[in-house]
Amino acid sequence: MSCGEPHEKDCSEVLDHLYEYLDREMPAGECADFQVHLDECSPCLEKYGLEQAVKKLVKRCCGHDDVPSDLRSKVMGRIELIRAGETVPEVSVLEQAKKEQAQRAREDAAASAAEEGTGPADATGSTDARTRAARAE
């Protein structure tokens, strides 16, 4: 996108890094350049305002949900891989986290059954363990 006016910082570059600016993850010197561009360029300012509104709406509606720390670390790891230009595994982070959560649930169920003195041969404990593991998947 370009507004057609000459700017020190190109519109496409500004829009490519808009969320870094919105999230205050940009060095101060670059922030100043962005602000100058937004002051000069009404289409980019409009896009900034729209993205800022969306971000506020998401925060208001979803900001209270707790994200599992392992999922957060996996997502951040993926972001770092992408930023470094490395290849990213085909498996989605969410699917990988679900599989690991199901595995932990199976392990927890087996440990609970062992603590209760029930083994896989005992129908009372093993059914509950399988049910918990299946629900986790």
Side-chain angles (χ1 to χ4, degrees), residues 2-134:
S2 177
C3 67
E5 300 292 325
H7 299 286
E8 188 172 319
K9 207 174 238 337
D10 187 57
C11 293
S12 61
E13 184 181 347
V14 168
L15 296 177
D16 284 346
H17 298 280
L18 190 56
Y19 272 92
E20 290 173 48
Y21 181 74
L22 275 167
D23 296 337
R24 303 181 200 284
E25 296 175 347
M26 184 177 282
E30 287 184 46
C31 283
D33 291 345
F34 264 63
Q35 189 58 54
V36 166
H37 182 96
L38 294 175
D39 290 343
E40 297 174 347
C41 182
S42 60
C44 287
L45 181 60
E46 185 177 331
K47 180 71 171 165
Y48 167 77
L50 176 64
E51 296 300 328
Q52 187 178 40
V54 168
K55 185 177 163 91
K56 284 180 183 178
L57 179 63
V58 169
K59 182 178 182 180
R60 187 180 73 216
C61 295
C62 306
H64 304 292
D65 296 339
D66 291 330
V67 177
S69 60
D70 60 331
L71 177 59
R72 180 177 176 76
S73 66
K74 286 177 182 147
V75 169
M76 294 307 293
R78 281 274 178 106
I79 290 171
E80 291 304 317
L81 284 175
I82 291 168
R83 284 184 176 164
E86 296 180 29
T87 59
V88 180
E90 291 292 322
V91 179
S92 82
V93 173
L94 187 55
E95 287 302 316
Q96 183 181 355
K98 284 180 182 178
K99 286 179 184 178
E100 290 174 4
Q101 183 181 23
Q103 178 63 33
R104 281 193 303 276
R106 284 191 292 272
E107 291 168 358
D108 290 346
S112 293
E115 287 174 5
E116 294 171 5
T118 60
D122 184 347
T124 59
S126 62
T127 301
D128 291 339
R130 282 184 293 218
T131 302
R132 283 184 289 212

